[in-house]
Amino acid sequence: MQTEVSFSQVFNQTTNFVKNRFLQLVIISFIVSLITTCISSYLIDPQMFKQLSSTTMTVDQLLMYVLKPALISLVITFIMQAILLAVVYNYSIQDKFDFNLILSRMLPNALNIISFYLTYLFIILFAMIFLTLIFMMLQFILPAKMVTFLFGVLIIAAILLIVTISYYFQGSIIAPSTKTFIQHFVESHKYAISYWRLTVPMVLIYCTVSILFSIVDSALNNLVINIISSTLQILTSIFCICFFYRLTILSKNEQLSHNTPEQNNNLTI
């Protein structure tokens, strides 16, 4: 008999999965953190941001200063996420670290992640144009403070929604599949909306932890602290990926009346 999926069920199973492989995941998180932090420190000059506030620049110069660190950060993030998805898949089907398996999953993961964010970039651009027109009209109807408040609430809601759909999408592409990008993209929206009561608590936990670590990084600005903080952030991200991977499996199985025990245990606990 199929039981309804609950947050505690998915959270507990994810906790067991991470706990049973905690040492391996910590080592991988530390290695990824060490590499990405060192690359970022080498390629992105911290003095650049001070120059932005202290000197007058043309639009072209400003774009060059902003685009370089932004693109570097994006590339590092995409590669890191592709690695983490491959690592989760590796440990979901076996207990040993399989370097060849992880390499084989990195490229499709990276391509799917890049496609996802490029698609959402266009969606956000069109949405911003539409919303700008709406808020311009609201300024003639509502007080300025009310418009600002509504805009802030909308931005926060949009960020939470995109993070939720993003992790649902990542959960759906972890295992090899014959489905196309469009099918995964549509399904991630469908299940994110259907199971929002389960995803919102996890996304809030993830965002809160990420913000706290970002504040620590900014306040201390020390390479060693940055590596430790980044390691913990990566561990949090792995937990979130595992949560959505498990939720993806359970939510899909819940939609099927003929699902089997083997289908429901793809994420080995």
Side-chain angles (χ1 to χ4, degrees), residues 63-98:
L63 284 174
M64 286 301 297
Y65 268 90
V66 172
L67 283 177
K68 180 184 175 181
L71 288 174
I72 292 172
S73 298
L74 279 176
V75 170
I76 291 173
T77 300
F78 291 153
I79 294 173
M80 185 180 71
Q81 286 301 113
I83 293 171
L84 297 185
L85 293 179
V87 167
V88 170
Y89 177 64
N90 179 107
Y91 284 116
S92 70
I93 61 173
Q94 62 185 21
D95 290 329
K96 293 183 179 180
F97 181 85
D98 189 335

PDB file of all heavy atoms in Angstrom, residues 63-98:
ATOM      1  N   LEU A  63      31.406  47.137 -16.766  1.00  0.00           N
ATOM      2  CA  LEU A  63      30.938  45.821 -17.201  1.00  0.00           C
ATOM      3  C   LEU A  63      32.075  44.808 -17.205  1.00  0.00           C
ATOM      4  O   LEU A  63      31.896  43.658 -16.798  1.00  0.00           O
ATOM      5  CB  LEU A  63      30.311  45.914 -18.599  1.00  0.00           C
ATOM      6  CG  LEU A  63      28.911  46.532 -18.679  1.00  0.00           C
ATOM      7  CD1 LEU A  63      28.476  46.688 -20.128  1.00  0.00           C
ATOM      8  CD2 LEU A  63      27.896  45.680 -17.913  1.00  0.00           C
ATOM      9  N   MET A  64      33.246  45.219 -17.646  1.00  0.00           N
ATOM     10  CA  MET A  64      34.400  44.326 -17.676  1.00  0.00           C
ATOM     11  C   MET A  64      34.795  43.902 -16.261  1.00  0.00           C
ATOM     12  O   MET A  64      35.136  42.750 -16.020  1.00  0.00           O
ATOM     13  CB  MET A  64      35.577  45.011 -18.375  1.00  0.00           C
ATOM     14  CG  MET A  64      35.427  45.107 -19.887  1.00  0.00           C
ATOM     15  SD  MET A  64      35.244  43.488 -20.691  1.00  0.00           S
ATOM     16  CE  MET A  64      36.823  42.741 -20.299  1.00  0.00           C
ATOM     17  N   TYR A  65      34.752  44.847 -15.325  1.00  0.00           N
ATOM     18  CA  TYR A  65      35.106  44.542 -13.941  1.00  0.00           C
ATOM     19  C   TYR A  65      34.090  43.608 -13.293  1.00  0.00           C
ATOM     20  O   TYR A  65      34.437  42.758 -12.476  1.00  0.00           O
ATOM     21  CB  TYR A  65      35.224  45.836 -13.133  1.00  0.00           C
ATOM     22  CG  TYR A  65      36.620  46.411 -13.100  1.00  0.00           C
ATOM     23  CD1 TYR A  65      37.043  47.312 -14.070  1.00  0.00           C
ATOM     24  CD2 TYR A  65      37.514  46.048 -12.099  1.00  0.00           C
ATOM     25  CE1 TYR A  65      38.332  47.836 -14.043  1.00  0.00           C
ATOM     26  CE2 TYR A  65      38.797  46.569 -12.067  1.00  0.00           C
ATOM     27  CZ  TYR A  65      39.202  47.464 -13.042  1.00  0.00           C
ATOM     28  OH  TYR A  65      40.473  47.967 -13.011  1.00  0.00           O
ATOM     29  N   VAL A  66      32.828  43.782 -13.654  1.00  0.00           N
ATOM     30  CA  VAL A  66      31.757  42.988 -13.035  1.00  0.00           C
ATOM     31  C   VAL A  66      31.595  41.637 -13.725  1.00  0.00           C
ATOM     32  O   VAL A  66      31.403  40.613 -13.073  1.00  0.00           O
ATOM     33  CB  VAL A  66      30.420  43.766 -13.065  1.00  0.00           C
ATOM     34  CG1 VAL A  66      29.267  42.878 -12.606  1.00  0.00           C
ATOM     35  CG2 VAL A  66      30.519  45.005 -12.195  1.00  0.00           C
ATOM     36  N   LEU A  67      31.677  41.624 -15.064  1.00  0.00           N
ATOM     37  CA  LEU A  67      31.429  40.404 -15.818  1.00  0.00           C
ATOM     38  C   LEU A  67      32.480  39.326 -15.568  1.00  0.00           C
ATOM     39  O   LEU A  67      32.153  38.144 -15.472  1.00  0.00           O
ATOM     40  CB  LEU A  67      31.362  40.707 -17.315  1.00  0.00           C
ATOM     41  CG  LEU A  67      30.067  41.336 -17.818  1.00  0.00           C
ATOM     42  CD1 LEU A  67      30.158  41.646 -19.305  1.00  0.00           C
ATOM     43  CD2 LEU A  67      28.878  40.416 -17.554  1.00  0.00           C
ATOM     44  N   LYS A  68      33.747  39.742 -15.442  1.00  0.00           N
ATOM     45  CA  LYS A  68      34.807  38.751 -15.252  1.00  0.00           C
ATOM     46  C   LYS A  68      34.601  37.899 -13.997  1.00  0.00           C
ATOM     47  O   LYS A  68      34.540  36.665 -14.100  1.00  0.00           O
ATOM     48  CB  LYS A  68      36.176  39.436 -15.213  1.00  0.00           C
ATOM     49  CG  LYS A  68      37.326  38.445 -15.026  1.00  0.00           C
ATOM     50  CD  LYS A  68      38.665  39.157 -14.896  1.00  0.00           C
ATOM     51  CE  LYS A  68      39.777  38.164 -14.589  1.00  0.00           C
ATOM     52  NZ  LYS A  68      41.096  38.820 -14.424  1.00  0.00           N
ATOM     53  N   PRO A  69      34.478  38.518 -12.791  1.00  0.00           N
ATOM     54  CA  PRO A  69      34.250  37.680 -11.596  1.00  0.00           C
ATOM     55  C   PRO A  69      32.925  36.938 -11.649  1.00  0.00           C
ATOM     56  O   PRO A  69      32.817  35.820 -11.138  1.00  0.00           O
ATOM     57  CB  PRO A  69      34.272  38.695 -10.448  1.00  0.00           C
ATOM     58  CG  PRO A  69      34.008  40.015 -11.062  1.00  0.00           C
ATOM     59  CD  PRO A  69      34.592  39.952 -12.435  1.00  0.00           C
ATOM     60  N   ALA A  70      31.905  37.557 -12.280  1.00  0.00           N
ATOM     61  CA  ALA A  70      30.590  36.908 -12.370  1.00  0.00           C
ATOM     62  C   ALA A  70      30.671  35.646 -13.222  1.00  0.00           C
ATOM     63  O   ALA A  70      30.143  34.583 -12.842  1.00  0.00           O
ATOM     64  CB  ALA A  70      29.560  37.871 -12.953  1.00  0.00           C
ATOM     65  N   LEU A  71      31.347  35.734 -14.370  1.00  0.00           N
ATOM     66  CA  LEU A  71      31.479  34.573 -15.254  1.00  0.00           C
ATOM     67  C   LEU A  71      32.333  33.484 -14.616  1.00  0.00           C
ATOM     68  O   LEU A  71      32.019  32.294 -14.718  1.00  0.00           O
ATOM     69  CB  LEU A  71      32.095  35.005 -16.594  1.00  0.00           C
ATOM     70  CG  LEU A  71      31.184  35.813 -17.516  1.00  0.00           C
ATOM     71  CD1 LEU A  71      31.953  36.304 -18.740  1.00  0.00           C
ATOM     72  CD2 LEU A  71      29.976  34.992 -17.941  1.00  0.00           C
ATOM     73  N   ILE A  72      33.425  33.906 -13.949  1.00  0.00           N
ATOM     74  CA  ILE A  72      34.277  32.929 -13.263  1.00  0.00           C
ATOM     75  C   ILE A  72      33.489  32.191 -12.184  1.00  0.00           C
ATOM     76  O   ILE A  72      33.561  30.957 -12.063  1.00  0.00           O
ATOM     77  CB  ILE A  72      35.511  33.623 -12.650  1.00  0.00           C
ATOM     78  CG1 ILE A  72      36.437  34.133 -13.750  1.00  0.00           C
ATOM     79  CG2 ILE A  72      36.266  32.665 -11.719  1.00  0.00           C
ATOM     80  CD1 ILE A  72      37.582  34.994 -13.249  1.00  0.00           C
ATOM     81  N   SER A  73      32.713  32.944 -11.410  1.00  0.00           N
ATOM     82  CA  SER A  73      31.898  32.344 -10.341  1.00  0.00           C
ATOM     83  C   SER A  73      30.863  31.384 -10.909  1.00  0.00           C
ATOM     84  O   SER A  73      30.620  30.307 -10.345  1.00  0.00           O
ATOM     85  CB  SER A  73      31.207  33.443  -9.531  1.00  0.00           C
ATOM     86  OG  SER A  73      32.160  34.276  -8.902  1.00  0.00           O
ATOM     87  N   LEU A  74      30.243  31.758 -12.030  1.00  0.00           N
ATOM     88  CA  LEU A  74      29.232  30.902 -12.658  1.00  0.00           C
ATOM     89  C   LEU A  74      29.842  29.598 -13.156  1.00  0.00           C
ATOM     90  O   LEU A  74      29.287  28.516 -12.926  1.00  0.00           O
ATOM     91  CB  LEU A  74      28.563  31.635 -13.821  1.00  0.00           C
ATOM     92  CG  LEU A  74      27.445  32.615 -13.470  1.00  0.00           C
ATOM     93  CD1 LEU A  74      26.963  33.332 -14.721  1.00  0.00           C
ATOM     94  CD2 LEU A  74      26.282  31.893 -12.801  1.00  0.00           C
ATOM     95  N   VAL A  75      30.981  29.702 -13.832  1.00  0.00           N
ATOM     96  CA  VAL A  75      31.640  28.498 -14.359  1.00  0.00           C
ATOM     97  C   VAL A  75      32.023  27.559 -13.219  1.00  0.00           C
ATOM     98  O   VAL A  75      31.788  26.339 -13.292  1.00  0.00           O
ATOM     99  CB  VAL A  75      32.892  28.880 -15.188  1.00  0.00           C
ATOM    100  CG1 VAL A  75      33.712  27.639 -15.521  1.00  0.00           C
ATOM    101  CG2 VAL A  75      32.480  29.592 -16.469  1.00  0.00           C
ATOM    102  N   ILE A  76      32.608  28.121 -12.155  1.00  0.00           N
ATOM    103  CA  ILE A  76      32.990  27.313 -10.995  1.00  0.00           C
ATOM    104  C   ILE A  76      31.763  26.654 -10.366  1.00  0.00           C
ATOM    105  O   ILE A  76      31.791  25.474  -9.999  1.00  0.00           O
ATOM    106  CB  ILE A  76      33.734  28.180  -9.957  1.00  0.00           C
ATOM    107  CG1 ILE A  76      35.110  28.584 -10.496  1.00  0.00           C
ATOM    108  CG2 ILE A  76      33.900  27.426  -8.634  1.00  0.00           C
ATOM    109  CD1 ILE A  76      35.856  29.573  -9.614  1.00  0.00           C
ATOM    110  N   THR A  77      30.677  27.417 -10.249  1.00  0.00           N
ATOM    111  CA  THR A  77      29.444  26.887  -9.649  1.00  0.00           C
ATOM    112  C   THR A  77      28.875  25.747 -10.478  1.00  0.00           C
ATOM    113  O   THR A  77      28.474  24.707  -9.937  1.00  0.00           O
ATOM    114  CB  THR A  77      28.392  28.002  -9.516  1.00  0.00           C
ATOM    115  OG1 THR A  77      28.908  29.031  -8.675  1.00  0.00           O
ATOM    116  CG2 THR A  77      27.101  27.457  -8.906  1.00  0.00           C
ATOM    117  N   PHE A  78      28.832  25.916 -11.810  1.00  0.00           N
ATOM    118  CA  PHE A  78      28.292  24.867 -12.687  1.00  0.00           C
ATOM    119  C   PHE A  78      29.119  23.592 -12.596  1.00  0.00           C
ATOM    120  O   PHE A  78      28.564  22.485 -12.508  1.00  0.00           O
ATOM    121  CB  PHE A  78      28.253  25.358 -14.135  1.00  0.00           C
ATOM    122  CG  PHE A  78      27.249  26.443 -14.392  1.00  0.00           C
ATOM    123  CD1 PHE A  78      27.439  27.361 -15.416  1.00  0.00           C
ATOM    124  CD2 PHE A  78      26.104  26.554 -13.615  1.00  0.00           C
ATOM    125  CE1 PHE A  78      26.516  28.361 -15.661  1.00  0.00           C
ATOM    126  CE2 PHE A  78      25.164  27.560 -13.838  1.00  0.00           C
ATOM    127  CZ  PHE A  78      25.373  28.460 -14.866  1.00  0.00           C
ATOM    128  N   ILE A  79      30.439  23.741 -12.629  1.00  0.00           N
ATOM    129  CA  ILE A  79      31.315  22.563 -12.543  1.00  0.00           C
ATOM    130  C   ILE A  79      31.157  21.878 -11.191  1.00  0.00           C
ATOM    131  O   ILE A  79      31.068  20.646 -11.107  1.00  0.00           O
ATOM    132  CB  ILE A  79      32.788  22.963 -12.775  1.00  0.00           C
ATOM    133  CG1 ILE A  79      32.989  23.461 -14.213  1.00  0.00           C
ATOM    134  CG2 ILE A  79      33.726  21.784 -12.489  1.00  0.00           C
ATOM    135  CD1 ILE A  79      34.361  24.023 -14.486  1.00  0.00           C
ATOM    136  N   MET A  80      31.115  22.676 -10.127  1.00  0.00           N
ATOM    137  CA  MET A  80      30.974  22.123  -8.777  1.00  0.00           C
ATOM    138  C   MET A  80      29.657  21.358  -8.631  1.00  0.00           C
ATOM    139  O   MET A  80      29.631  20.249  -8.092  1.00  0.00           O
ATOM    140  CB  MET A  80      31.054  23.237  -7.741  1.00  0.00           C
ATOM    141  CG  MET A  80      31.036  22.735  -6.296  1.00  0.00           C
ATOM    142  SD  MET A  80      31.130  24.085  -5.109  1.00  0.00           S
ATOM    143  CE  MET A  80      29.492  24.817  -5.305  1.00  0.00           C
ATOM    144  N   GLN A  81      28.554  21.950  -9.126  1.00  0.00           N
ATOM    145  CA  GLN A  81      27.256  21.277  -9.031  1.00  0.00           C
ATOM    146  C   GLN A  81      27.241  19.987  -9.836  1.00  0.00           C
ATOM    147  O   GLN A  81      26.664  18.985  -9.406  1.00  0.00           O
ATOM    148  CB  GLN A  81      26.144  22.214  -9.517  1.00  0.00           C
ATOM    149  CG  GLN A  81      25.791  23.326  -8.542  1.00  0.00           C
ATOM    150  CD  GLN A  81      25.333  22.799  -7.189  1.00  0.00           C
ATOM    151  OE1 GLN A  81      26.013  22.990  -6.180  1.00  0.00           O
ATOM    152  NE2 GLN A  81      24.204  22.142  -7.147  1.00  0.00           N
ATOM    153  N   ALA A  82      27.879  20.010 -11.011  1.00  0.00           N
ATOM    154  CA  ALA A  82      27.954  18.798 -11.835  1.00  0.00           C
ATOM    155  C   ALA A  82      28.706  17.684 -11.099  1.00  0.00           C
ATOM    156  O   ALA A  82      28.313  16.512 -11.149  1.00  0.00           O
ATOM    157  CB  ALA A  82      28.635  19.117 -13.167  1.00  0.00           C
ATOM    158  N   ILE A  83      29.788  18.060 -10.400  1.00  0.00           N
ATOM    159  CA  ILE A  83      30.560  17.088  -9.617  1.00  0.00           C
ATOM    160  C   ILE A  83      29.721  16.532  -8.469  1.00  0.00           C
ATOM    161  O   ILE A  83      29.687  15.318  -8.234  1.00  0.00           O
ATOM    162  CB  ILE A  83      31.846  17.730  -9.071  1.00  0.00           C
ATOM    163  CG1 ILE A  83      32.801  18.079 -10.215  1.00  0.00           C
ATOM    164  CG2 ILE A  83      32.544  16.793  -8.073  1.00  0.00           C
ATOM    165  CD1 ILE A  83      34.002  18.903  -9.784  1.00  0.00           C
ATOM    166  N   LEU A  84      29.027  17.418  -7.751  1.00  0.00           N
ATOM    167  CA  LEU A  84      28.232  16.981  -6.595  1.00  0.00           C
ATOM    168  C   LEU A  84      27.103  16.045  -7.006  1.00  0.00           C
ATOM    169  O   LEU A  84      26.825  15.055  -6.321  1.00  0.00           O
ATOM    170  CB  LEU A  84      27.664  18.204  -5.862  1.00  0.00           C
ATOM    171  CG  LEU A  84      28.682  19.174  -5.249  1.00  0.00           C
ATOM    172  CD1 LEU A  84      27.974  20.254  -4.449  1.00  0.00           C
ATOM    173  CD2 LEU A  84      29.692  18.433  -4.379  1.00  0.00           C
ATOM    174  N   LEU A  85      26.454  16.331  -8.128  1.00  0.00           N
ATOM    175  CA  LEU A  85      25.394  15.451  -8.621  1.00  0.00           C
ATOM    176  C   LEU A  85      25.958  14.075  -8.965  1.00  0.00           C
ATOM    177  O   LEU A  85      25.340  13.042  -8.661  1.00  0.00           O
ATOM    178  CB  LEU A  85      24.722  16.063  -9.861  1.00  0.00           C
ATOM    179  CG  LEU A  85      23.924  17.347  -9.663  1.00  0.00           C
ATOM    180  CD1 LEU A  85      23.346  17.822 -10.991  1.00  0.00           C
ATOM    181  CD2 LEU A  85      22.806  17.169  -8.649  1.00  0.00           C
ATOM    182  N   ALA A  86      27.146  14.072  -9.586  1.00  0.00           N
ATOM    183  CA  ALA A  86      27.785  12.804  -9.938  1.00  0.00           C
ATOM    184  C   ALA A  86      28.184  12.025  -8.690  1.00  0.00           C
ATOM    185  O   ALA A  86      28.060  10.798  -8.644  1.00  0.00           O
ATOM    186  CB  ALA A  86      29.010  13.074 -10.821  1.00  0.00           C
ATOM    187  N   VAL A  87      28.655  12.742  -7.668  1.00  0.00           N
ATOM    188  CA  VAL A  87      29.045  12.097  -6.410  1.00  0.00           C
ATOM    189  C   VAL A  87      27.835  11.458  -5.729  1.00  0.00           C
ATOM    190  O   VAL A  87      27.907  10.316  -5.251  1.00  0.00           O
ATOM    191  CB  VAL A  87      29.717  13.121  -5.461  1.00  0.00           C
ATOM    192  CG1 VAL A  87      29.825  12.555  -4.041  1.00  0.00           C
ATOM    193  CG2 VAL A  87      31.093  13.499  -5.975  1.00  0.00           C
ATOM    194  N   VAL A  88      26.725  12.180  -5.688  1.00  0.00           N
ATOM    195  CA  VAL A  88      25.500  11.634  -5.079  1.00  0.00           C
ATOM    196  C   VAL A  88      25.044  10.390  -5.829  1.00  0.00           C
ATOM    197  O   VAL A  88      24.656   9.390  -5.214  1.00  0.00           O
ATOM    198  CB  VAL A  88      24.379  12.700  -5.066  1.00  0.00           C
ATOM    199  CG1 VAL A  88      23.045  12.077  -4.657  1.00  0.00           C
ATOM    200  CG2 VAL A  88      24.732  13.837  -4.116  1.00  0.00           C
ATOM    201  N   TYR A  89      25.096  10.438  -7.159  1.00  0.00           N
ATOM    202  CA  TYR A  89      24.710   9.254  -7.950  1.00  0.00           C
ATOM    203  C   TYR A  89      25.639   8.089  -7.675  1.00  0.00           C
ATOM    204  O   TYR A  89      25.197   6.946  -7.521  1.00  0.00           O
ATOM    205  CB  TYR A  89      24.717   9.593  -9.444  1.00  0.00           C
ATOM    206  CG  TYR A  89      24.403   8.400 -10.319  1.00  0.00           C
ATOM    207  CD1 TYR A  89      23.152   7.781 -10.254  1.00  0.00           C
ATOM    208  CD2 TYR A  89      25.370   7.864 -11.177  1.00  0.00           C
ATOM    209  CE1 TYR A  89      22.872   6.674 -11.036  1.00  0.00           C
ATOM    210  CE2 TYR A  89      25.079   6.759 -11.968  1.00  0.00           C
ATOM    211  CZ  TYR A  89      23.837   6.172 -11.893  1.00  0.00           C
ATOM    212  OH  TYR A  89      23.549   5.071 -12.668  1.00  0.00           O
ATOM    213  N   ASN A  90      26.958   8.371  -7.589  1.00  0.00           N
ATOM    214  CA  ASN A  90      27.945   7.339  -7.296  1.00  0.00           C
ATOM    215  C   ASN A  90      27.592   6.605  -5.998  1.00  0.00           C
ATOM    216  O   ASN A  90      27.537   5.372  -5.962  1.00  0.00           O
ATOM    217  CB  ASN A  90      29.324   7.989  -7.189  1.00  0.00           C
ATOM    218  CG  ASN A  90      30.428   6.990  -6.858  1.00  0.00           C
ATOM    219  OD1 ASN A  90      31.241   6.644  -7.706  1.00  0.00           O
ATOM    220  ND2 ASN A  90      30.499   6.522  -5.615  1.00  0.00           N
ATOM    221  N   TYR A  91      27.361   7.369  -4.929  1.00  0.00           N
ATOM    222  CA  TYR A  91      27.102   6.744  -3.629  1.00  0.00           C
ATOM    223  C   TYR A  91      25.672   6.233  -3.485  1.00  0.00           C
ATOM    224  O   TYR A  91      25.367   5.528  -2.517  1.00  0.00           O
ATOM    225  CB  TYR A  91      27.435   7.726  -2.506  1.00  0.00           C
ATOM    226  CG  TYR A  91      28.921   7.869  -2.292  1.00  0.00           C
ATOM    227  CD1 TYR A  91      29.570   9.086  -2.513  1.00  0.00           C
ATOM    228  CD2 TYR A  91      29.692   6.785  -1.886  1.00  0.00           C
ATOM    229  CE1 TYR A  91      30.938   9.221  -2.338  1.00  0.00           C
ATOM    230  CE2 TYR A  91      31.060   6.906  -1.707  1.00  0.00           C
ATOM    231  CZ  TYR A  91      31.673   8.126  -1.936  1.00  0.00           C
ATOM    232  OH  TYR A  91      33.040   8.247  -1.758  1.00  0.00           O
ATOM    233  N   SER A  92      24.801   6.584  -4.417  1.00  0.00           N
ATOM    234  CA  SER A  92      23.434   6.050  -4.362  1.00  0.00           C
ATOM    235  C   SER A  92      23.350   4.645  -4.942  1.00  0.00           C
ATOM    236  O   SER A  92      22.393   3.918  -4.664  1.00  0.00           O
ATOM    237  CB  SER A  92      22.472   6.980  -5.122  1.00  0.00           C
ATOM    238  OG  SER A  92      22.705   6.913  -6.520  1.00  0.00           O
ATOM    239  N   ILE A  93      24.359   4.263  -5.746  1.00  0.00           N
ATOM    240  CA  ILE A  93      24.328   2.924  -6.348  1.00  0.00           C
ATOM    241  C   ILE A  93      25.440   2.023  -5.838  1.00  0.00           C
ATOM    242  O   ILE A  93      25.398   0.813  -6.057  1.00  0.00           O
ATOM    243  CB  ILE A  93      24.407   3.009  -7.894  1.00  0.00           C
ATOM    244  CG1 ILE A  93      25.712   3.663  -8.351  1.00  0.00           C
ATOM    245  CG2 ILE A  93      23.200   3.752  -8.453  1.00  0.00           C
ATOM    246  CD1 ILE A  93      25.922   3.623  -9.859  1.00  0.00           C
ATOM    247  N   GLN A  94      26.445   2.609  -5.156  1.00  0.00           N
ATOM    248  CA  GLN A  94      27.524   1.798  -4.587  1.00  0.00           C
ATOM    249  C   GLN A  94      28.209   2.577  -3.470  1.00  0.00           C
ATOM    250  O   GLN A  94      28.100   3.795  -3.393  1.00  0.00           O
ATOM    251  CB  GLN A  94      28.542   1.404  -5.671  1.00  0.00           C
ATOM    252  CG  GLN A  94      29.232   2.585  -6.323  1.00  0.00           C
ATOM    253  CD  GLN A  94      30.149   2.168  -7.467  1.00  0.00           C
ATOM    254  OE1 GLN A  94      30.019   1.097  -8.034  1.00  0.00           O
ATOM    255  NE2 GLN A  94      31.088   3.018  -7.807  1.00  0.00           N
ATOM    256  N   ASP A  95      28.916   1.855  -2.607  1.00  0.00           N
ATOM    257  CA  ASP A  95      29.569   2.487  -1.456  1.00  0.00           C
ATOM    258  C   ASP A  95      30.982   2.964  -1.765  1.00  0.00           C
ATOM    259  O   ASP A  95      31.553   3.747  -1.001  1.00  0.00           O
ATOM    260  CB  ASP A  95      29.619   1.508  -0.277  1.00  0.00           C
ATOM    261  CG  ASP A  95      28.226   1.255   0.298  1.00  0.00           C
ATOM    262  OD1 ASP A  95      27.394   2.176   0.226  1.00  0.00           O
ATOM    263  OD2 ASP A  95      27.979   0.135   0.779  1.00  0.00           O
ATOM    264  N   LYS A  96      31.564   2.486  -2.858  1.00  0.00           N
ATOM    265  CA  LYS A  96      32.929   2.863  -3.211  1.00  0.00           C
ATOM    266  C   LYS A  96      32.934   4.074  -4.141  1.00  0.00           C
ATOM    267  O   LYS A  96      32.028   4.264  -4.951  1.00  0.00           O
ATOM    268  CB  LYS A  96      33.644   1.690  -3.879  1.00  0.00           C
ATOM    269  CG  LYS A  96      33.899   0.510  -2.942  1.00  0.00           C
ATOM    270  CD  LYS A  96      34.675  -0.589  -3.639  1.00  0.00           C
ATOM    271  CE  LYS A  96      34.959  -1.760  -2.690  1.00  0.00           C
ATOM    272  NZ  LYS A  96      35.711  -2.846  -3.356  1.00  0.00           N
ATOM    273  N   PHE A  97      33.998   4.876  -4.015  1.00  0.00           N
ATOM    274  CA  PHE A  97      34.178   6.034  -4.888  1.00  0.00           C
ATOM    275  C   PHE A  97      34.659   5.544  -6.250  1.00  0.00           C
ATOM    276  O   PHE A  97      35.700   4.907  -6.361  1.00  0.00           O
ATOM    277  CB  PHE A  97      35.194   6.991  -4.277  1.00  0.00           C
ATOM    278  CG  PHE A  97      35.425   8.237  -5.084  1.00  0.00           C
ATOM    279  CD1 PHE A  97      34.596   9.334  -4.952  1.00  0.00           C
ATOM    280  CD2 PHE A  97      36.488   8.308  -5.979  1.00  0.00           C
ATOM    281  CE1 PHE A  97      34.819  10.486  -5.697  1.00  0.00           C
ATOM    282  CE2 PHE A  97      36.722   9.451  -6.722  1.00  0.00           C
ATOM    283  CZ  PHE A  97      35.879  10.538  -6.584  1.00  0.00           C
ATOM    284  N   ASP A  98      33.872   5.848  -7.298  1.00  0.00           N
ATOM    285  CA  ASP A  98      34.198   5.419  -8.658  1.00  0.00           C
ATOM    286  C   ASP A  98      34.501   6.655  -9.498  1.00  0.00           C
ATOM    287  O   ASP A  98      33.593   7.345  -9.968  1.00  0.00           O
ATOM    288  CB  ASP A  98      33.029   4.626  -9.248  1.00  0.00           C
ATOM    289  CG  ASP A  98      33.388   3.957 -10.569  1.00  0.00           C
ATOM    290  OD1 ASP A  98      34.298   4.447 -11.261  1.00  0.00           O
ATOM    291  OD2 ASP A  98      32.752   2.939 -10.909  1.00  0.00           O
TER     292      ASP A  98
END
